[in-house]
Amino acid sequence: MNQLPIFVNLQGRKILLLGRGEMADAKKRLYERAGAEITDDENADGLTLAVVALENDDEAIAAVARLKARGLLVNAVDRSALCDYTTPAIIDRDPVLLAIGTGGASAGLAKALRQRLEQLLPASLGTLATALLNARERIQQTWPDGAARRKAIDAVLDPGGPLDVLADHELEDLEAWLDQPHGQSRSQVIDLELSSADPDDLTLRQARWLGQADQIFTSDDVPAAVLDRVRADAQRFTLTLWDERPTTGLTLRIRMKP
């Protein structure tokens, strides 16, 4: 990654914004939505971040240099080469936020992706997130084992599941799920044969399996780029260690097609 995507709490923090006009106004609205206090005083104390939205190139370059010399992280609007950080296109389903960035390559591309994804995500997504937070203690009591709890949540949020994240839901749907009897998640072994070394060629089902696997056994020719899509805490083994003993949870045996 060329940039680390992070979510920063700016509530009550002071942000320096240099510039006037459309670019500066757009940035001001964005930071104020996050609860930041906006100032145009370069000498103000307690600055957290700086935004340079100056039209003149020479003035912008000089301002960026001054602010970086003070140790501030700077966003220079429409000048990605000068930026310490960039602001993404945002899909807001509070408290769910999706941020789409291109590393400054194309704001238009980020905007187009946001508009397309906006159509896919239901308005109730934020309500679902809040309901899951409020039900956290109940969920932990229902599935005290962490691994079993993760499997249950994965299953209920999966495509076609009772709380499919791309479908509209009411709070009653969450209650219905928690009220239903539950059992131990079924263990499963799946043979995954890959026809391409490019992770972008994975099918949606294959990508979902990689993200859900509890353990994987891989042949030596499976590329690292594909394995980067595997859940971070999944156990990883070479395929030569595979035996036929029963496994727990979802196990993938991954090979490249001959």
Side-chain angles (χ1 to χ4, degrees), residues 71-167:
L72 286 171
L73 295 177
V74 180
N75 172 253
V77 180
D78 285 346
R79 297 178 177 90
S80 59
L82 299 179
C83 289
D84 293 311
Y85 73 96
T86 56
T87 51
I90 295 171
I91 301 174
D92 188 351
R93 296 290 189 273
D94 186 43
V96 178
L97 288 177
L98 276 72
I100 304 164
T102 63
S106 173
L109 175 59
K111 176 183 177 181
L113 287 170
R114 175 186 63 77
Q115 291 173 336
R116 187 72 59 86
L117 293 172
E118 280 273 16
Q119 301 172 12
L120 298 177
L121 299 178
S124 62
L125 188 58
T127 301
L128 174 60
T130 301
L132 287 169
L133 173 63
N134 293 337
R136 177 177 293 174
E137 183 175 345
R138 186 174 171 189
I139 292 172
Q140 290 174 339
Q141 291 173 350
T142 305
W143 291 277
D145 177 72
R149 183 166 60 251
R150 179 187 59 77
K151 293 181 198 306
I153 294 174
D154 285 350
V156 77
L157 298 175
D158 261 354
L163 298 177
D164 183 339
V165 295
L166 295 186

Side-chain angles (χ1 to χ4, degrees), residues 10-77:
L10 294 181
Q11 190 70 40
R13 292 179 179 269
K14 194 174 294 184
I15 304 297
L16 175 66
L17 173 59
L18 299 181
R20 297 182 182 278
E22 184 178 342
M23 293 191 307
D25 289 344
K27 291 295 184 180
K28 184 173 185 291
R29 288 192 297 268
L30 177 65
Y31 285 89
E32 286 181 338
R33 279 177 60 192
E37 177 187 338
I38 308 300
T39 181
D40 61 359
D41 181 5
E42 279 194 54
N43 298 315
D45 294 328
L47 295 174
T48 299
L49 298 170
V51 179
V52 175
L54 298 169
E55 295 283 356
N56 182 276
D57 284 338
D58 291 338
E59 291 180 4
I61 292 170
V64 168
R66 292 195 306 272
L67 297 170
K68 288 187 176 184
R70 293 174 53 185
L72 286 171
L73 295 177
V74 180
N75 172 253
V77 180

Side-chain angles (χ1 to χ4, degrees), residues 197-248:
D198 187 345
D200 289 336
D201 291 333
L202 292 167
T203 67
L204 290 176
R205 178 174 294 180
Q206 289 171 336
R208 189 164 65 247
W209 282 337
L210 291 174
Q212 294 175 347
D214 297 288
Q215 51 267 324
I216 62 169
F217 292 79
T218 62
S219 58
D220 293 337
D221 56 349
V222 176
V226 171
L227 298 182
D228 286 343
R229 302 292 180 92
V230 177
R231 207 181 85 227
D233 59 344
Q235 294 180 301
R236 304 176 184 223
F237 307 95
T238 179
L239 194 56
T240 57
L241 296 178
W242 172 259
D243 58 34
E244 297 298 330
R245 287 180 295 180
T247 59
T248 300

